[in-house]
Amino acid sequence: MIIILERDKITQKIKDKLLKKGLSLIGMSDKEIIFIKLKRHFR
């Protein structure tokens, strides 16, 4: 799952919460921040 957010609406506090939820920051541009969430299956 890929999540793209507008950079000017995301504070550092929100970014930290997203990282704690298991999202990984994969890219940043002038206007966007891109996170990815990987589903892992353990057997």
Side-chain angles (χ1 to χ4, degrees):
M1 175 171 59
I2 296 174
I3 301 168
I4 301 174
L5 303 169
E6 291 183 46
R7 187 173 182 165
D8 59 346
K9 294 183 179 178
I10 301 300
T11 64
Q12 185 65 40
K13 189 175 179 182
I14 294 171
K15 197 188 305 182
D16 291 342
K17 281 185 181 182
L18 290 172
L19 293 172
K20 285 181 185 175
K21 296 280 185 188
L23 291 161
S24 300
L25 180 65
I26 59 166
M28 291 175 77
S29 70
D30 292 343
K31 295 184 181 182
E32 299 172 337
I33 298 177
I34 303 168
F35 289 93
I36 190 166
K37 171 81 173 177
L38 299 175
K39 287 190 176 184
R40 295 185 180 105
H41 299 282
F42 296 104
R43 292 178 185 230

